[in-house]
Amino acid sequence: MPTILDVAREAGVSQGTASNVLNGKGNVSSEKIKSVQEAAQKLGYTMNERAKTLRKGRGNIICVIIPSIECKQYRELYYSIKSFSEKNNYVVELLLSDDNPQVEMELIQRAKSMMAAGVATVTCLNQKKYNKAYYGLEKVCFVERKPVDGGEYFGFHYEKAGKKIAEYIVKNNYHHIAVITDSLEYSNEREFFLGMKVVLSKKLKVKIYQISTGLNRISHTLLNSILLDGEYDAIITSNIAFAEKVKGILDTFDRERKTCILTLSPVVTLPERNFVKYELNYSLLGRKVADKILNSPVKDFVMEDHLVENDGNRNWKKIELKNAPSKCLNVITLEGPEASIMQGLAKLYTEETGTEVKVSVFSYNDIYDQFSNVEFSNIYDVFRVDVTWLSWFAQRLLVPLEEVYSDMAQLFEGYIQPLIKKYSYVRGKAYALPFTPSVQLLFYRRDLFENTVYKRMFRESYKRELRIPENFEEYNQIAEFFAKGLEPDVSYHSCLTLGNTGVASSEFLARIFSHKKNLFDENGRIVVDDEAGKKALHELIIAQRYANKTTSHWWNESAQRFANGEFVMMINFSNYASEILGTNTKVAGNIGFAMVPGDNPMYGGGALGISQNSKKKEDAAAFIKWITKEPVASGMAALGSVSPCIKTYNKYDIINTFPWLELSEQCFKRSHTERVSEAYDKPFDEKTFLNIIGTAVKSVLMGSMSEENALNKAQQMIEREL
């Protein structure tokens, strides 16, 4: 096995220099970094991470001890801990106990030998002789099952879950019940079963047969207990793995039997039809466990219970209609990822109500024309309105929500609070529900930004660290660095999206909002030709020098080209970012994202409102509430859209696939990019405003007008037109 000394000889440097390069330390030139990296690769040298840990003392390893990775809830718990920990530069070691106390004891010793910074464990050590097994580990979180002698515990309200499932049994008149749990010695299983008994014991006609088993024994147990010993009209299981086993056995041996299967389950993002699920958010649980281990001092690890609220029965069919549903609803929406997702999920609405949902899809310019003319027709029942157009169209096209919903406070429950003002209200009255909220984010190639050689070359050129740009001056400096060619025949460009005047104006506005929060002055006058405007336009002109020469016309095109590896960085809206993960993406695993330079991102996306001319206002109201609320909103996010609901951002499977969504939620609170003041009480023509700004931008970029003249003309037109 090659050593650091071998690498140093091959590279022609000292052992100290080689060590500094391989450990990311020291003030080493970019040429020597290249030489050492090439030598290490040629010789097949790898760092001994365990030795590094031992040299440092306690390491950056988090150990997760679970019974099995086959169980969905434990898999989700592990991946959630892993995702959060790795973002914070920790390594997660998965240890499987198979619910065997002796194996778990060995795994505990292994965690100690690794000098683990913390341990999260679903323990099977439920006897007093194991009381002191975890002594010596400073940070231990017990998950789902409480230890005999107490400790820092994380779980759910299992007794409540048992009661709710029992209430479902009673409501649907099931009488012969099999309850399949793991050992009742485990606290979660015991609490769940006791919760059911509290409710079912009051019903004399309900017979309960309780079966304790384990994942490895369940198939044999079921064959003997369920198929041979009795007929059950409902089977309750304490985890989804048991439920899947039950379903498999019944499908194989007794397909004709119609038995309702109810189960505790991790949160399911898209609907499944096999079981009645009572859902528990293991993603959020894992996040809380990881946060405790990483961010709490040892003294805060005491005998405390941390219980996450149950999600419960998330009803995909919760559609509120007082009268018989209409045959058809017509919806108009903008082309993009959300359009096809809406069309797909609308089929679930049709299955439940019988109402066909016809979704008409238009381009940005064409949909504006449709809105401008639609007040004279009754074609559409539901409008997807761009958030920036609400001011202009709301009173002309949309029904005030108070006319179709009786409880406005209940209507807005569950949404991210800052969205309600931006995506629903116009001049003090609510007209729409937030649907696909988005914000501008900076996306960048993490592999290029973190490349050791490039980082050193950047420092040699600009005398500062290569880092995520905090302002557009730094953005342009980084763009220049990567565009000038770092290696023979290799250069990377940044992206500008300049397809039409509306899109081009967003590139300018992103920059002007980095210099001031709002566009209006103390008198309420929109100002773009001030110092902030001049800086913004000049920064955009410089950015064009280092941008790819082939223009991106729309946000989805920019995202697709980023996925193809053409750009080192771009600014894009979060509702188009899923395009980065297309089937042929070349940047998977290397996608970095951050707040836009200036820390004041513009918001975009759309809201759903009800047409004043619709003859089916009740159906339209039911549809827009259904598709913008949980669980459907999370289903849209899982398919690549964006959700307005708080709960979506606690779901690991969605956040892990589209990690920028977590940042976008924070951006909704931080965006202050109003065009007009709250005192402005007239409809604001956003389309005209963007055309004015975009025309000025394009005139300068094409060289037909100076920066000063373009801004002066834009200011004059704004004052005349708006």
Side-chain angles (χ1 to χ4, degrees):
M1 180 181 293
T3 65
I4 286 183
L5 182 58
D6 297 325
V7 173
R9 287 170 178 162
E10 179 69 27
V13 299
S14 70
Q15 184 175 350
T17 298
S19 178
N20 282 339
V21 171
L22 296 171
N23 285 285
K25 299 178 180 179
N27 187 16
V28 185
S29 71
S30 57
E31 289 302 317
K32 287 182 178 178
I33 292 173
K34 281 184 186 179
S35 299
V36 171
Q37 288 181 343
E38 289 170 359
Q41 185 176 8
K42 178 180 176 181
L43 296 175
Y45 174 84
T46 56
M47 294 288 288
N48 187 331
E49 294 296 332
R50 181 66 54 83
K52 284 175 65 178
T53 297
L54 291 172
R55 286 196 299 271
K56 289 193 302 181
R58 191 163 302 281
N60 65 336
I61 297 172
I62 306 296
C63 289
V64 178
I65 301 175
I66 56 176
S68 170
I69 199 68
E70 290 182 44
C71 298
K72 283 184 180 179
Q73 72 269 27
Y74 298 142
R75 191 160 64 239
E76 193 156 311
L77 174 74
Y78 162 67
Y79 282 128
S80 180
I81 294 172
K82 182 174 185 287
S83 176
F84 184 80
S85 300
E86 289 180 348
K87 287 176 185 175
N88 289 276
N89 300 313
Y90 279 74
V91 176
V92 177
E93 188 86 8
L94 175 63
L95 305 174
L96 303 177
S97 70
D98 198 29
D99 268 341
N100 183 319
Q102 188 56 46
V103 172
E104 185 173 339
M105 293 291 287
E106 293 170 3
L107 297 179
I108 294 168
Q109 292 306 311
R110 188 170 165 189
K112 290 178 179 178
S113 71
M114 292 178 187
M115 298 184 179
V119 174
T121 176
V122 180
T123 183
C124 64
L125 304 183
N126 56 353
Q127 299 176 29
K128 288 193 179 294
K129 66 180 180 179
Y130 298 119
N131 272 11
K132 298 181 179 179
Y134 282 93
Y135 283 17
L137 291 164
E138 292 184 336
K139 296 183 176 183
V140 180
C141 292
F142 294 93
V143 184
E144 195 168 68
R145 302 167 181 173
K146 292 182 180 179
V148 175
D149 57 344
E152 200 75 11
Y153 170 70
F154 290 78
F156 299 100
H157 297 270
Y158 300 103
E159 184 175 345
K160 178 182 177 182
K163 288 178 178 178
K164 290 295 183 181
I165 286 184
E167 288 170 5
Y168 185 95
I169 292 291
V170 173
K171 180 180 178 182
N172 289 275
N173 294 313
Y174 295 119
H175 300 293
H176 198 185
I177 316 299
V179 181
I180 304 170
T181 69
D182 211 315
S183 170
L184 294 184
E185 291 185 357
Y186 301 139
S187 63
N188 61 309
E189 305 286 342
R190 183 171 61 253
E191 291 169 14
F192 174 63
F193 182 65
L194 291 176
M196 279 189 293
K197 284 189 69 176
V198 167
V199 175
L200 296 180
S201 62
K202 299 174 183 178
K203 303 295 176 180
L204 297 178
K205 293 183 179 180
V206 177
K207 295 181 181 179
I208 307 171
Y209 180 48
Q210 193 268 331
I211 304 166
S212 289
T213 185
L215 190 62
N216 294 333
R217 309 189 311 275
I218 187 170
S219 297
H220 177 73
T221 304
L222 291 176
L223 281 169
N224 289 317
S225 303
I226 293 181
L227 297 176
L228 300 179
D229 290 351
E231 292 286 334
Y232 301 97
D233 50 13
I235 298 174
I236 300 169
T237 72
S238 61
N239 65 65
I240 191 73
F242 285 1
E244 289 169 342
K245 290 281 188 179
V246 170
K247 180 76 167 62
I249 287 172
L250 291 179
D251 285 350
T252 302
F253 295 99
D254 198 355
R255 187 178 292 272
E256 299 302 316
R257 187 192 298 190
K258 302 299 180 185
T259 304
C260 178
I261 303 173
L262 305 95
T263 185
L264 294 188
S265 167
V267 172
V268 179
T269 306
L270 294 174
E272 294 179 2
R273 305 172 191 275
N274 292 331
F275 316 114
V276 176
K277 298 183 186 70
Y278 187 91
E279 295 179 339
L280 306 173
N281 193 339
Y282 282 85
S283 298
L284 180 57
L285 186 69
R287 175 66 177 266
K288 288 182 177 294
V289 170
D291 184 55
K292 179 70 178 181
I293 293 173
L294 270 58
N295 297 320
S296 295
V298 173
K299 66 181 178 64
D300 288 347
F301 278 74
V302 294
M303 292 185 183
E304 187 175 351
D305 290 353
H306 307 269
L307 299 183
V308 174
E309 282 300 318
N310 304 347
D311 275 48
N313 300 109
R314 296 167 70 244
N315 188 358
W316 285 80
K317 298 180 179 180
K318 188 177 181 181
I319 298 167
E320 300 172 3
L321 283 170
K322 297 176 183 177
N323 303 310
S326 302
K327 290 184 178 180
C328 180
L329 276 176
N330 288 297
V331 180
I332 181 171
T333 189
L334 181 70
E335 65 182 1
E338 70 189 50
S340 57
I341 295 169
M342 180 195 282
Q343 289 170 325
L345 287 176
K347 294 176 183 177
L348 298 175
Y349 186 89
T350 302
E351 285 180 17
E352 182 63 17
T353 63
T355 301
E356 182 183 5
V357 181
K358 295 182 179 178
V359 181
S360 300
V361 183
F362 289 87
S363 68
Y364 180 81
N365 288 324
D366 289 344
I367 201 171
Y368 188 90
D369 293 339
Q370 289 288 317
F371 289 171
S372 299
N373 298 318
V374 81
E375 57 194 304
F376 303 109
S377 72
N378 59 359
I379 298 174
Y380 301 110
D381 303 294
V382 175
F383 294 104
R384 186 276 190 197
V385 183
D386 195 275
V387 62
T388 55
W389 296 352
L390 263 182
S391 173
W392 186 245
F393 285 116
Q395 291 175 308
R396 295 168 56 189
L397 301 181
L398 304 180
V399 177
L401 297 184
E402 62 188 22
E403 295 182 14
V404 286
Y405 297 106
S406 57
D407 189 342
M408 292 295 287
Q410 185 271 335
L411 176 64
F412 287 114
E413 284 181 0
Y415 296 125
I416 298 168
Q417 284 303 302
L419 299 181
I420 297 171
K421 180 181 178 182
K422 291 181 171 75
Y423 290 77
S424 295
Y425 279 86
V426 175
R427 288 175 288 284
K429 186 170 285 190
Y431 287 92
L433 295 180
F435 178 46
T436 52
S438 71
V439 287
Q440 286 181 323
L441 296 176
L442 172 69
F443 293 88
Y444 64 94
R445 286 275 299 277
R446 200 169 59 208
D447 55 327
L448 300 181
F449 269 67
E450 294 177 359
N451 183 289
T452 308
V453 175
Y454 294 165
K455 288 171 72 173
R456 183 61 197 175
M457 290 173 68
F458 187 87
R459 170 166 276 286
E460 290 169 350
S461 297
Y462 298 100
K463 312 305 179 199
R464 70 176 185 87
E465 295 296 324
L466 175 59
R467 65 185 185 195
I468 298 166
E470 296 181 359
N471 54 57
F472 279 99
E473 183 180 354
E474 291 182 0
Y475 177 96
N476 286 342
Q477 203 173 63
I478 294 168
E480 177 189 34
F481 171 73
F482 280 104
K484 65 185 181 183
L486 308 179
E487 302 172 37
D489 303 320
V490 177
S491 61
Y492 301 95
H493 292 91
S494 54
C495 170
L496 289 178
T497 307
L498 300 167
N500 58 42
T501 54
V503 175
S505 64
S506 294
E507 293 285 3
F508 170 79
L509 291 173
R511 289 161 173 81
I512 196 172
F513 283 127
S514 74
H515 296 295
K516 62 179 184 176
K517 280 191 172 182
N518 306 303
L519 291 184
F520 53 89
D521 62 15
E522 63 277 6
N523 299 315
R525 172 175 166 264
I526 299 173
V527 179
V528 297
D529 64 346
D530 57 358
E531 283 304 308
K534 292 173 183 176
K535 287 180 182 177
L537 187 55
H538 188 66
E539 286 166 344
L540 183 54
I541 291 169
I542 295 173
Q544 189 191 32
R545 299 175 190 168
Y546 312 118
N548 192 289
K549 302 309 177 187
T550 304
T551 298
S552 290
H553 290 85
W554 192 248
W555 309 112
N556 63 333
E557 183 184 344
S558 295
Q560 289 163 2
R561 293 178 63 189
F562 184 90
N564 196 42
E566 295 183 40
F567 304 135
V568 64
M569 56 185 176
M570 70 170 179
I571 293 171
N572 209 325
F573 285 94
S574 55
N575 60 329
Y576 286 97
S578 61
E579 300 279 343
I580 297 171
L581 297 175
T583 53
N584 296 316
T585 182
K586 296 178 181 177
V587 296
N590 288 313
I591 303 166
F593 52 90
M595 187 75 69
V596 292
D599 200 22
N600 188 24
M602 282 206 310
Y603 54 89
L608 293 181
I610 302 162
S611 170
Q612 293 177 5
N613 294 327
S614 173
K615 302 286 194 296
K616 311 158 192 171
K617 291 183 177 65
E618 182 193 346
D619 295 80
F623 176 76
I624 70 171
K625 184 176 180 181
W626 174 79
I627 203 166
T628 62
K629 291 275 194 176
E630 278 291 280
V632 183
S634 286
M636 290 199 65
L639 295 169
S641 185
V642 183
S643 166
C645 295
I646 297 168
K647 284 191 173 182
T648 300
Y649 300 86
N650 289 328
K651 293 177 172 57
Y652 158 77
D653 56 339
I654 297 174
I655 298 302
N656 189 56
T657 304
F658 308 111
W660 48 82
L661 291 182
E662 205 165 20
L663 177 60
S664 71
E665 184 204 8
Q666 299 171 24
C667 291
F668 295 137
K669 305 169 188 174
R670 296 166 73 167
S671 174
H672 300 280
T673 57
E674 284 74 25
R675 279 64 157 158
V676 293
S677 70
E678 291 185 1
Y680 189 89
D681 60 355
K682 296 176 289 185
F684 181 69
D685 189 353
E686 175 80 9
K687 184 73 157 50
T688 297
F689 169 71
L690 293 181
N691 283 342
I692 291 170
I693 296 297
T695 299
V697 168
K698 281 183 161 288
S699 297
V700 174
L701 294 180
M702 290 186 296
S704 60
M705 193 175 289
S706 70
E707 298 172 43
E708 184 177 359
N709 287 342
L711 283 178
N712 288 341
K713 186 174 181 180
Q715 186 67 49
Q716 292 168 11
M717 292 183 69
I718 287 170
E719 292 176 2
R720 184 174 70 242
E721 300 289 336
L722 301 174

